[in-house]
């Protein structure tokens, strides 16, 4: 299977205080806890953010605290190991409403995490104007969202030329994690850890992927007066 660079979408990073969204009481009692949503469900208002990974000193204590948090209607520990636990979550209506507003107008919630009493969301859209509508909808509903960053992201799409599957996976992960950003937000070591391969394998995939893209890009030059 082969791929080439094709589509550019817009990514927005949005913040919302836990006091206005979820886990306010939990942060009040365990301020050092960190949370990351696994498998965000953006368009199903009944099953938003179904799984949550937590990092804290005592998972059993955290579960007890979560059961008394007003934003949580039910939670179950799926797995736990050391200071990490994976929870199956049911959230209150207010939480579902926020996620629904963030996912309006063909936007998609890519990631959600929380630490130090603040939630961070990463949402994607093909239309930059859609983010203005999302922001206004949240503000109109009384949710004080703050836009931290908006940037363009290139997505690799299937084609009959260019990259192998491994090269595609590595390059797309590099794009997603900010390896090509200025300043760079990820290293080859970060990519190797995420993909579960050696640093050398990442370096080779990047070099070969870059070479393939350049060769295909140069194979059909366009007329240019410059």
């Amino acid at each position: 299977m082969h791929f080439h660079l094709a589509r550019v979408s817009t990514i927005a990073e949005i913040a919302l205080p836990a006091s206005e969204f979820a886990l306010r009481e939990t942060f009040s009692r365990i301020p050092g806890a960190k949370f990351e949503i696994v498998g965000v469900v953006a368009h199903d208002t009944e099953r938003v953010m179904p799984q949550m990974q937590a990092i804290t000193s005592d998972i059993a204590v955290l579960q007890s605290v979560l059961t008394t948090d007003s934003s949580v209607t039910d939670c179950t520990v799926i797995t736990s190991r050391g200071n990490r636990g994976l929870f199956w979550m049911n959230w209150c209506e207010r939480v579902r409403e926020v996620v629904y507003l963030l996912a309006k107008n063909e936007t998609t919630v890519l990631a959600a995490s929380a630490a130090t009493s603040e939630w961070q969301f990463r949402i994607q859209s093909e239309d930059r104007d859609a983010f203005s509508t999302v922001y206004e909808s949240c503000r109109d509903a009384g949710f004080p969202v703050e836009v931290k960053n908006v940037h363009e992201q290139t997505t690799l799409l299937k084609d009959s030329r260019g990259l192998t599957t491994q090269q595609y996976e590595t390059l797309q992960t590099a794009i997603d994690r900010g390896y090509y950003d200025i300043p760079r937000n990820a290293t080859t070591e970060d990519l190797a850890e995420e993909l579960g391969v050696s640093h050398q394998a990442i370096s080779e995939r990047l070099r070969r992927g870059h070479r393939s893209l350049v060769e295909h890009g140069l194979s059909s030059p366009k007329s240019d007066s410059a």
Side-chain angles (χ1 to χ4, degrees), residues 3-216:
F3 304 80
H4 75 119
L5 293 170
R7 186 178 66 198
V8 176
S9 56
T10 304
I11 304 295
E13 296 170 2
I14 294 175
L16 184 63
S19 60
E20 301 296 331
F21 178 57
L23 304 184
R24 179 184 61 186
E25 292 97 330
T26 298
F27 277 117
S28 177
R29 296 177 60 182
I30 313 178
K34 297 180 180 180
F35 305 94
E36 181 175 356
I37 299 304
V38 180
V40 175
V41 179
H43 297 286
D44 180 353
T45 57
E46 296 301 319
R47 294 301 307 154
V48 300
M49 308 197 309
Q51 293 186 37
M52 181 179 73
Q53 179 173 269
I55 301 177
T56 187
S57 58
D58 193 319
I59 295 299
V61 170
L62 174 61
Q63 183 181 16
S64 177
V65 172
L66 286 172
T67 59
T68 63
D69 195 297
S70 61
S71 63
V72 179
T73 59
D74 188 26
C75 70
T76 303
V77 176
I78 300 174
T79 60
S80 64
R81 182 177 181 182
N83 66 342
R84 294 176 180 267
L86 181 63
F87 291 81
W88 182 260
M89 304 294 298
N90 283 313
W91 302 92
C92 70
E93 184 177 351
R94 182 179 179 85
V95 173
R96 297 198 300 269
E97 181 183 359
V98 171
V99 177
Y100 170 74
L101 290 174
L102 292 177
K104 289 181 65 176
N105 300 309
E106 302 303 318
T107 59
T108 301
V109 180
L110 298 177
S113 60
T116 60
S117 298
E118 182 179 77
W119 281 86
Q120 298 274 351
F121 301 91
R122 194 163 179 258
I123 59 178
Q124 179 184 44
S125 176
E126 303 303 315
D127 182 4
R128 194 182 185 92
D129 293 338
F131 292 120
S132 296
T133 301
V134 168
Y135 177 82
E136 292 170 1
S137 296
C138 288
R139 286 286 180 170
D140 290 345
F143 302 117
V145 297
E146 178 185 358
V147 179
K148 296 285 190 178
N149 185 34
V150 178
H151 64 275
E152 305 301 319
Q153 175 174 287
T154 302
T155 302
L156 299 168
L157 299 178
K158 295 180 181 180
D159 203 301
S160 60
R161 51 181 162 157
L163 307 173
T164 67
T165 301
Q166 287 185 338
Q167 291 165 2
Y168 161 78
E169 179 185 31
T170 302
L171 287 170
Q172 186 62 66
T173 300
I175 291 170
D176 292 343
R177 298 297 174 263
Y179 177 78
Y180 297 108
D181 291 354
I182 302 174
R184 184 167 285 175
N185 292 319
T187 65
T188 51
E189 287 82 2
D190 295 329
L191 303 181
E193 181 178 356
E194 177 156 347
L195 294 174
V197 299
S198 68
H199 174 265
Q200 181 179 354
I202 290 293
S203 297
E204 290 179 356
R205 290 183 192 179
L206 289 174
R207 287 198 303 271
R208 291 172 180 171
H210 295 160
R211 179 185 177 89
S212 182
L213 291 173
V214 171
E215 287 177 343
H216 282 283

